[in-house]
Amino acid sequence: MDITTYSSWLEIDLGAIKHNVKEIIKMTNTEVMAVIKANGYGHGVLEVARAVVDAGATWCGVARMEEALNLRNAGIKAQVMVLGYSPAGLIPDAVRNDIHVAIYDLDMAKLYAEQAKKVSGKLKAHLKVETGMGRLGMPSEQVPDFLSEVHNDDVIQIDGIFTHFARADEPQADSAKQQLGKFKLLLTQLRDKGLCPKMVHAANSAAVINTPEAYFDLVRPGIAIYGLDPSPDTRLPESFKPALTWKAQLISVRDFPPGHGISYGSVYVTSKQERIGVIPVGYGDGYRREPGQQVLVRGQLVDVVGRICMDQCMLQLDSVPDAVVGDEVVLLGQQGERTITANDLASRWGTINYEVICGLADRLPRLYKGS
Ligand SMILES: Cc1ncc(COP(=O)(O)O)c(C=O)c1O
């Protein structure tokens, strides 16, 4: 790495992302909608989009219309779907750019139809069904009437029907099975009436691992694409590879005398002569202002000491006396024999690995390999 150019950066292995997509295709034998919302779970959306499509994903799933338009503006040709809410004012853009939207009630469908009429072409939509997630979705009892009402609509074409699991990552709970049972019952009713949309989908990453009965026509993995576990109870198969490493360079190494306060509030005070390093990483980069953190220097875990600032934090370097300015420090990922995983950071921060990677700030340069 060119240390004259970068102080802290993310290295993203697009080869790992492609490999993970191919593993999912092998496991499920279905079409894959790679979920790349929130800047590709922090990995950088356009590079990730190109990689997943190259690996065989036929769909890209995002949360917002702006994210979908960004993909189209960058020339991504795969099917694109907005899984969350789309404001009505952006529906003409969806039609013009062949972007699929989620619909979950009749009023919404009417509003979208009015907007879609302003441009030529049909709005492609997927009906989201509530089966137990308690978030967005049409109650399943209302679905047959809704679909018969919009069946022959001039401007809205219901291409898909989908649901989302609340607890697919808890294999011991039977919540996903119950949701699936409800969804399948509805699909049977719809097929009997000739109302079932052509694409049926339900499986997030956890269901890709735990619930093969939920594969249907398309699976919607997010976290697995990046090589990260859906939860401590639902681990990825070993063949999956994490794609992201977070690095920084050591920008200062100094010996402090005993009794010297380190960082804001002087909550850490040197107890003897101590070697203290600085890395240019702080909560402004998405590192949490929590005590008890560790990073890797020269292949060894060292403690982060004192309060974490917005742009810097300090390291206790006594165990690595050879450390010098310019050394590469790993905050997340592997160095030598040791690894700090997104799960490790998540458990230190009292959160989940999803939040760790989505919280990585835009100002961190993303450097790609394996494209
Ligand atoms: C509707 C929908 N499908 C699929 C996913 C992908 O989930 P995961 O990252 O757990 O695979 C998400 C992410 O939250 C989602 O909201």
Side-chain angles (χ1 to χ4, degrees):
M1 193 52 49
D2 179 3
I3 62 160
T4 58
T5 313
Y6 300 108
S7 54
S8 180
W9 65 96
L10 305 177
E11 286 177 17
I12 290 147
D13 182 354
L14 295 173
I17 290 180
K18 287 183 195 174
H19 167 85
N20 297 335
V21 169
K22 287 180 186 162
E23 289 293 292
I24 293 167
I25 295 172
K26 252 197 275 168
M27 278 169 79
T28 62
N29 202 19
T30 59
E31 284 195 56
V32 169
M33 176 188 292
V35 178
I36 57 171
K37 57 192 174 146
N39 195 25
Y41 286 43
H43 290 61
V45 70
L46 296 180
E47 291 79 3
V48 169
R50 291 185 193 107
V52 295
V53 171
D54 195 37
T58 43
W59 290 73
C60 293
V62 291
R64 308 258 164 91
M65 187 59 71
E66 293 85 345
E67 295 179 307
L69 293 170
N70 182 30
L71 293 176
R72 283 288 182 254
N73 292 339
I76 302 295
K77 298 276 189 294
Q79 305 271 28
V80 173
M81 175 167 180
V82 177
L83 293 161
Y85 170 71
S86 296
L90 296 177
I91 291 302
D93 287 325
V95 177
R96 279 191 217 103
N97 289 282
D98 194 24
I99 291 164
H100 296 239
V101 298
I103 286 188
Y104 43 85
D105 73 44
L106 186 58
D107 289 345
M108 185 180 196
K110 288 180 179 158
L111 201 61
Y112 282 7
E114 272 169 36
Q115 292 291 327
K117 278 183 194 137
K118 295 181 179 170
V119 284
S120 65
K122 279 197 164 191
L123 173 67
K124 294 179 180 169
H126 295 218
L127 178 62
K128 186 161 197 178
V129 183
E130 165 60 47
T131 57
M133 175 67 185
R135 194 170 67 178
L136 298 176
M138 179 175 285
S140 47
E141 316 77 71
Q142 296 174 14
V143 169
D145 285 350
F146 171 84
L147 284 175
S148 44
E149 190 154 345
V150 297
H151 196 50
N152 292 315
D153 197 274
D154 296 342
V155 283
I156 296 190
Q157 176 179 314
I158 306 288
D159 269 356
I161 184 163
F162 72 114
T163 196
H164 191 51
F165 294 117
R167 299 175 66 187
D169 59 321
E170 296 174 52
Q172 68 288 1
D174 63 5
S175 157
K177 282 205 177 66
Q178 283 176 15
Q179 283 192 255
L180 192 58
K182 211 168 176 187
F183 191 48
K184 281 184 162 171
L185 191 67
L186 173 64
L187 295 173
T188 308
Q189 289 167 10
L190 296 178
R191 285 192 185 111
D192 288 349
K193 295 181 173 165
L195 289 173
C196 194
K198 65 176 193 270
M199 302 289 300
V200 176
H201 48 109
N204 57 1
S205 300
V208 163
I209 296 167
N210 294 330
T211 322
E213 317 86 89
Y215 291 169
F216 300 108
D217 303 306
L218 175 75
V219 292
R220 303 191 309 265
I223 199 83
I225 282 172
Y226 309 99
L228 301 177
D229 297 325
S231 77
D233 290 334
T234 296
R235 304 272 181 185
L236 287 176
E238 286 204 340
S239 55
F240 282 71
K241 299 177 184 167
L244 184 142
T245 303
W246 185 0
K247 293 183 176 172
Q249 60 163 307
L250 205 46
I251 54 167
S252 165
V253 176
R254 277 169 66 192
D255 289 327
F256 283 89
H260 203 293
I262 301 294
S263 193
Y264 289 121
S266 301
V267 292
Y268 183 84
V269 178
T270 50
S271 57
K272 51 184 175 8
Q273 169 148 319
E274 291 187 36
R275 177 154 291 188
I276 300 293
V278 182
I279 52 172
V281 174
Y283 58 82
D285 299 290
Y287 206 58
R288 287 279 178 88
R289 197 171 170 277
E290 301 269 347
Q293 317 240 40
Q294 291 189 309
V295 297
L296 288 165
V297 179
R298 298 208 163 210
Q300 287 200 51
L301 285 167
V302 303
D303 291 338
V304 178
V305 290
R307 286 199 177 130
I308 287 162
C309 310
M310 189 185 292
D311 314 302
Q312 280 99 33
C313 59
M314 274 53 83
L315 313 179
Q316 214 296 349
L317 294 178
D318 284 358
S319 60
V320 276
D322 297 342
V324 290
V325 167
D327 274 4
E328 202 170 89
V329 177
V330 169
L331 295 102
L332 196 180
Q334 189 174 1
Q335 190 184 59
E337 307 275 287
R338 292 185 185 268
T339 303
I340 297 172
T341 65
N343 288 347
D344 293 335
L345 287 184
S347 61
R348 272 192 226 148
W349 297 355
T351 184
I352 52 173
N353 53 8
Y354 293 71
E355 196 184 348
V356 172
I357 51 171
C358 289
L360 295 168
D362 287 349
R363 75 178 183 182
L364 289 167
R366 271 90 172 147
L367 309 179
Y368 294 93
K369 62 177 188 180
S371 55

